[in-house]
């Protein structure tokens, strides 16, 4: 039996201007400040710790080669994506595919250098790590005194893209599958849907893009006050509306109204009507969406996604909403040709 839709009544919806800063802008600002700190640390270390580097191995012996050292450093860097601090954003703006490695014979270590980019200023800076030649899992980063608790087998594949260990490409590479995981009530999440609709518009039928809803801590707070079904109602509108042509207009209107407080059925229905969504199809999808949301929860667990917003492309690449275009082009470069 389909779940019954319920919610408090609403006299109408007032559309108000979008503020100058959304939640995602705050993330960018935090990252910009973080990058300045990192650059200062890197400069200090570069002057205080001169090294003798060797790139010609004719008379030098090492247990590993440069490619192995770079892969180890890329895995270490990708593991920061699971650290609950702002440093977790750094792997997504690092270009590990252009990394270099130099051997330090006196220390039996590899000096691995990767370029990273400040997403706000676009300035390029270097991230440097020391990798032990004896044990490739023994790594000292110059940008963070606190190491990761566990180095995963995921690795930074390219700028904005983390390759997930043990995950393989989807059965069909065209259209390319893109799963956009969000807790709709988590600050910054709704703002990322502008990226979602922009990619839908850019690539059209070359993408099979879906919104996958997380029942995170913010939605759970709504559930505690207004009930579990009501807490998922916004997610149901997003999941079902994403397949319709006017979804971008729905998101535009939603962003002007949304304040991360509970939105009832009357409010959401008004927005759907204003966006000229097919209400009959929308209501049918919403009424039968419980099984789909349950499947999405299992998928989020499979990909170890606990926070919002994160994107999985082609079933094997993780990105931020801001770097998903890089993941799309990395997964299938032919999709991006001429775009």
């Amino acid at each position: 039996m389909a779940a019954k839709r319920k919610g408090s009544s609403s006299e109408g919806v007032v559309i108000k201007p979008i503020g100058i800063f959304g939640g995602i802008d705050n993330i960018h600002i935090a990252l910009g400040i973080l990058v300045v700190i990192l650059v200062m640390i890197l400069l200090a270390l570069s002057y205080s710790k001169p090294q003798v580097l060797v790139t010609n191995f004719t008379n030098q012996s090492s247990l590993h080669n440069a490619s192995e050292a770079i892969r180890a450093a890329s895995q270490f860097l990708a593991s920061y994506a699971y650290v609950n601090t702002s440093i977790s954003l750094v792997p997504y703006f690092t270009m590990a595919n252009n990394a270099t490695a130099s051997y330090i014979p006196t220390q039996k270590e590899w000096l691995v250098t990767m370029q990273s980019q400040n997403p706000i200023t676009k300035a390029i800076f270097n991230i440097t790590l020391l990798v032990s030649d004896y044990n490739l899992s023994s790594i000292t980063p110059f940008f963070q005194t606190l190491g990761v608790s566990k180095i995963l087998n995921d690795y930074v594949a390219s700028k904005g893209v983390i390759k997930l260990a043990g995950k393989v490409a989807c059965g069909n590479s065209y259209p390319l599958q893109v799963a956009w995981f969000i807790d709709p009530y988590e600050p910054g999440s709704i703002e990322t849907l502008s990226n979602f609709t922009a990619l839908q518009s850019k690539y059209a039928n070359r993408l099979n893009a879906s919104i996958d809803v997380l029942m995170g801590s913010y939605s759970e707070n709504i559930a505690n006050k207004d009930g579990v079904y009501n807490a998922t109602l916004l997610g149901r509108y997003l999941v079902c509306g994403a397949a319709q042509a006017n979804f971008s207009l729905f998101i535009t209107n939603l962003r002007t109204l949304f304040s991360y407080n509970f939105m009832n059925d009357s409010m959401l229905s008004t927005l759907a009507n204003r966006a000229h969504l097919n209400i009959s199809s929308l209501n049918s999808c919403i009424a039968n969406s419980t099984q789909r949301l349950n499947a999405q929860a299992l998928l989020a667990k499979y990909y170890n996604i606990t926070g919002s917003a994160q994107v999985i492309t082609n079933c094997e690449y993780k990105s931020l909403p801001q770097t998903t275009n890089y993941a799309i082009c990395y997964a299938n470069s032919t999709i991006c040709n001429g775009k």
Side-chain angles (χ1 to χ4, degrees):
M1 179 181 296
K4 182 179 180 181
R5 295 167 60 190
K6 58 182 179 179
S8 59
S9 62
S10 173
E11 296 297 330
V13 176
V14 178
I15 304 298
K16 58 184 180 181
I18 300 173
I20 188 170
F21 293 119
I24 204 68
D25 294 311
N26 293 333
I27 293 176
H28 279 163
I29 292 169
L31 183 57
I33 296 171
L34 175 66
V35 166
V36 172
I37 295 172
L38 299 185
V39 171
M40 292 174 63
I41 294 173
L42 289 170
L43 288 174
L45 288 171
S46 65
Y47 285 107
S48 63
K49 194 172 183 180
Q51 302 290 350
V52 177
L53 305 183
V54 173
T55 55
N56 184 345
F57 298 99
T58 303
N59 297 315
Q60 301 293 333
S61 60
S62 61
L63 299 176
H64 301 91
N65 59 37
S67 296
E68 291 171 326
I70 290 171
R71 173 56 66 90
S74 298
Q75 290 177 331
F76 179 87
L77 194 62
S79 298
Y80 272 105
Y82 301 94
V83 175
N84 191 26
T85 68
S86 57
I87 200 79
S88 65
L89 300 177
V90 172
Y92 295 103
F93 296 97
T94 300
M95 293 161 274
N97 53 318
N98 294 324
T100 60
S102 300
Y103 187 53
I104 309 173
T106 56
Q107 295 183 200
K108 303 297 183 184
E109 291 178 311
W110 290 88
L111 187 69
V112 178
T113 302
M114 306 178 186
Q115 287 189 329
S116 193
Q117 184 178 46
N118 185 321
I120 301 173
T121 67
K122 307 303 180 183
I124 302 295
F125 63 96
N126 287 336
I127 285 182
T128 308
L129 308 95
L130 280 176
V131 180
S132 171
D133 189 43
Y134 292 117
N135 179 6
L136 292 180
S137 64
S138 177
I139 299 175
T140 304
F142 281 7
F143 61 89
Q144 174 83 334
T145 56
L146 178 64
V148 295
S149 59
K150 182 180 180 181
I151 300 177
L152 305 177
N153 290 325
D154 300 350
Y155 63 90
V156 178
S158 183
K159 180 181 178 181
V161 186
I162 291 178
K163 173 65 176 72
L164 298 175
K167 306 300 187 289
V168 297
C170 301
N172 297 320
S173 59
Y174 186 89
L176 194 68
Q177 292 191 34
V178 174
W180 207 278
F181 290 89
I182 66 167
D183 176 345
Y185 286 103
E186 182 170 337
S189 293
I190 293 298
E191 284 79 0
T192 73
L193 295 182
S194 294
N195 300 72
F196 177 87
T197 56
L199 290 172
Q200 277 188 316
S201 176
K202 181 177 182 178
Y203 295 113
N205 62 354
R206 285 170 289 175
L207 286 189
N208 180 13
S210 65
I211 294 177
D212 292 58
V213 176
L214 299 171
M215 190 66 173
S217 58
Y218 291 88
S219 286
E220 287 177 354
N221 289 338
I222 300 294
N224 291 336
K225 294 183 294 183
D226 299 286
V228 173
Y229 182 80
N230 281 334
T232 65
L233 192 57
L234 173 56
R236 293 171 192 264
Y237 268 85
L238 295 175
V239 167
C240 294
Q244 296 202 25
N246 289 339
F247 183 63
S248 60
L249 181 56
F250 176 79
I251 293 302
T252 298
N253 291 339
L254 175 64
R255 288 189 62 192
T256 64
L257 176 70
F258 196 56
S259 60
Y260 293 94
N261 295 314
F262 169 60
M263 296 194 72
N264 63 37
D265 195 16
S266 177
M267 294 177 177
L268 293 168
S269 180
T270 298
L271 291 176
N273 276 288
R274 290 188 175 187
H276 306 292
L277 297 184
N278 185 317
I279 301 302
S280 176
S281 296
L282 182 69
N283 287 341
S284 176
C285 177
I286 290 171
N288 295 282
S289 59
T290 298
Q291 185 175 356
R292 185 173 176 181
L293 264 61
N294 290 340
Q296 290 177 353
L298 293 175
L299 196 62
K301 186 176 182 180
Y302 174 73
Y303 286 116
N304 194 25
I305 294 177
T306 57
S308 181
Q310 297 182 53
V311 185
I312 301 296
T313 298
N314 204 29
C315 301
E316 60 177 341
Y317 299 110
K318 181 187 287 188
S319 65
L320 297 176
Q322 309 96 302
T323 67
T324 298
N325 192 62
Y326 295 119
I328 291 170
C329 296
Y330 187 84
N332 190 339
S333 60
T334 61
I335 289 180
C336 299
N337 287 343
K339 293 294 179 179

